Amino acid sequence: MDNRVVITGLGVCAPNGTTINEFSDAIKQGISGIRHQPDLETLNFSCQIAGKPLLSEERISQYFTPLELRNLNSTGIVYGVIAGLDAWQDAGLTIENNDEPDWDSGTIFGTGTSGIDKFRWAINKIDALEIKKLGSSVVIQTMASGVSAFISGKLGLGNQVSTNSSACATGVESIWLACERIKTGQAKRILAGSTSDSGPYIWGGFDAMKVCTYKHNDAPEKGSRPMSSTASGFVPGSGAGALVLESLESALARKAKIYGEVLGGHINSGGQRGLGSMTAPNPTAVQRCIQAALKNAGIEAQEIDLINGHLTATTKDALEIENWKVALQLPDGNFPYINSLKGMIGHCIAASGSIECVASILELTEGFIFPNINCEDLNPDITVLIDEKCIPQTLIHQPINILAKASFGFGDINACIIFKKYPHE
């Protein structure tokens, strides 16, 4: 069995928008969600700016019961549940309170670290010999699969319910894993996505590695500079993105709105061999991942209209462009448009791929290319590889038929997925 897989629902909880309409407007206008973070300054972080979703207590209370909210201290679960339930409702699916699970529907919802603030609180209680004060919510909030467990319980999902974790490749990987399950007929629909906690205990390690910028603490919106000659490291971010993937047959049967189709994809690793390491990509593996995704999708390189890159605003940006160029083997002057969302939201770690996939689907559906911001001084190591017109710095309105999205993560792991506009009659 090889079912066609389409996207029927979108949800997002991003630093520059926590509803699809708000997020869509923000990415079109190049609006940044990166702000100064007083707690990072107090803790003497080098990078004192970050991207965090802005959510009111009232908004959060729409998704959780008063009992759940009483001890809820996992931002990643909050972001994931909001994005996930919004995607489910956007797909026209209802939340039933039947005794019978929905055997045809599941979720693969990834994360990096879950509930780190809750974990810290629990450790302090244990160290203070107050184990009896831990309560019953520590495990569910600190286990990696807490987010998929919360979502499953709220939606009554009876198919696969799991959490994947592959560093910055997590979001794209979750979507491809979900796609494969539907393709093989093991599920009719899967809510796929990923989430990442906010805060110093997530971001501190990156700050210590000196991979985060420290040069824009007084100008947060200018801090994340993918493809810029003055890029000085990534800006940490957080949030969640979610997509409802569904077999085309199921979507048509229930007359669902269809955003686009997943044509193909691929996941691999560079094995930390050659030029690859725990923190650096093996270029051969990246190129093979892209090429295998195209082959799996059954398309040629010249059919790609737009690449939504990983492009984190580090020294590796030029290498990524070079890898795309080698992998696609297109003649000079015939490279697709390429953009990076990280200029607006920072690097949302485990959530980055899913949030960026939501942006990609909006571009496909609505026919636009969001602008790259903060790269008015393009890196010359990039412009010797591709024409600067391929890196739009203003909004472009034009039909997009095929979009390639890739994410590359610590541990030398790669994920690439190919989306296609769905031809509505």
Side-chain angles (χ1 to χ4, degrees):
M1 186 176 290
D2 192 14
N3 292 318
R4 289 173 66 184
V5 180
V6 293
I7 299 108
T8 56
L10 298 175
V12 74
C13 204
N16 64 346
T18 61
T19 67
I20 288 298
N21 286 341
E22 187 182 36
F23 179 67
S24 180
D25 288 344
I27 66 174
K28 288 173 187 169
Q29 296 177 53
I31 294 173
S32 173
I34 296 169
R35 304 168 191 88
H36 180 257
Q37 305 295 329
D39 58 339
L40 302 187
E41 182 177 4
T42 300
L43 292 166
N44 293 324
F45 273 51
S46 297
C47 179
Q48 298 168 6
I49 59 176
K52 284 171 62 173
L54 298 178
L55 293 166
S56 66
E57 293 300 319
E58 182 184 9
R59 174 87 186 280
I60 295 170
S61 69
Q62 295 169 15
Y63 299 80
F64 296 91
T65 67
L67 182 62
E68 288 169 338
L69 285 171
R70 189 178 302 166
N71 295 301
L72 187 59
N73 193 22
S74 172
T75 51
I77 287 175
V78 171
Y79 304 150
V81 167
I82 290 174
L85 268 59
D86 282 359
W88 195 254
Q89 293 186 306
D90 183 52
L93 297 162
T94 55
I95 299 173
E96 306 287 353
N97 289 314
N98 302 334
D99 286 339
E100 190 80 1
D102 178 355
W103 304 115
D104 295 321
S105 304
T107 184
I108 301 175
F109 217 94
T111 189
T113 304
S114 183
I116 200 160
D117 288 324
K118 188 72 172 181
F119 209 6
R120 177 178 181 265
W121 174 85
I123 288 168
N124 288 338
K125 287 290 181 195
I126 293 167
D127 287 347
L129 308 180
E130 296 179 336
I131 191 167
K132 291 179 180 174
K133 294 184 179 180
L134 286 183
S136 58
S137 65
V138 171
V139 173
I140 186 68
Q141 289 186 52
T142 58
M143 67 185 192
S145 57
V147 63
S148 56
F150 258 94
I151 289 169
S152 172
K154 290 181 178 297
L155 299 178
L157 304 178
N159 206 281
Q160 179 179 357
V161 172
S162 61
T163 293
N164 65 306
S165 188
S166 293
C168 311
T170 298
V172 174
E173 181 184 76
S174 70
I175 294 163
W176 182 238
L177 292 174
C179 184
E180 287 185 315
R181 188 163 180 86
I182 297 167
K183 271 179 171 290
T184 54
Q186 297 178 77
K188 283 186 180 177
R189 68 193 65 84
I190 299 281
L191 176 60
S194 62
T195 188
S196 185
D197 280 22
S198 294
Y201 306 114
I202 289 287
W203 301 328
F206 297 107
D207 200 77
M209 289 174 69
K210 296 182 166 49
V211 294
C212 297
T213 182
Y214 60 88
K215 296 183 176 180
H216 297 87
N217 291 333
D218 57 347
E221 294 179 1
K222 298 294 183 185
S224 184
R225 309 182 65 79
M227 297 183 283
S228 160
S229 62
T230 49
S232 54
F234 74 74
V235 173
S238 56
L243 296 82
V244 174
L245 301 187
E246 189 165 358
S247 72
L248 177 61
E249 182 182 25
S250 170
L252 292 175
R254 64 183 191 85
K255 295 181 172 60
K257 159 181 66 182
I258 296 175
Y259 282 103
E261 183 171 2
V262 183
L263 277 191
H266 191 70
I267 300 164
N268 79 353
S269 168
Q272 299 174 47
R273 298 295 188 267
L275 296 176
S277 70
M278 183 64 78
T279 57
N282 177 335
T284 304
V286 171
Q287 294 159 22
R288 286 173 65 95
C289 184
I290 295 166
Q291 290 169 340
L294 266 63
K295 183 177 180 181
N296 182 264
I299 63 164
E300 300 295 330
Q302 62 267 22
E303 295 180 71
I304 297 172
D305 299 305
L306 175 61
I307 295 165
N308 187 320
H310 187 58
L311 297 167
T312 58
T314 65
T315 56
K316 300 297 181 187
D317 286 3
L319 175 60
E320 179 179 338
I321 301 290
E322 183 179 354
N323 286 332
W324 279 105
K325 190 170 182 186
V326 172
L328 298 181
Q329 289 288 299
L330 292 170
D332 286 353
N334 193 28
F335 194 81
Y337 286 109
I338 186 163
N339 56 12
S340 171
L341 192 63
K342 291 182 177 71
M344 299 182 220
I345 65 172
H347 190 350
C348 295
I349 322 295
S352 61
S354 58
I355 295 173
E356 290 160 15
C357 281
V358 171
S360 298
I361 297 302
L362 290 171
E363 290 180 295
L364 268 185
T365 308
E366 299 181 29
F368 70 92
I369 301 171
F370 66 74
N372 292 288
I373 69 168
N374 298 332
C375 63
E376 58 280 352
D377 55 338
L378 284 168
N379 185 340
D381 291 340
I382 290 175
T383 53
V384 298
L385 294 167
I386 61 173
D387 194 302
E388 61 182 69
K389 76 176 189 309
C390 300
I391 308 168
Q393 297 186 45
T394 56
L395 175 67
I396 294 175
H397 287 284
Q398 73 172 54
I400 306 296
N401 189 46
I402 292 180
L403 184 151
K405 167 67 197 146
S407 292
F408 313 113
F410 275 14
D412 198 9
I413 45 180
N414 312 302
C416 182
I417 199 161
I418 311 295
F419 296 119
K420 187 177 191 294
K421 184 177 176 66
Y422 184 75
H424 293 280
E425 298 301 326

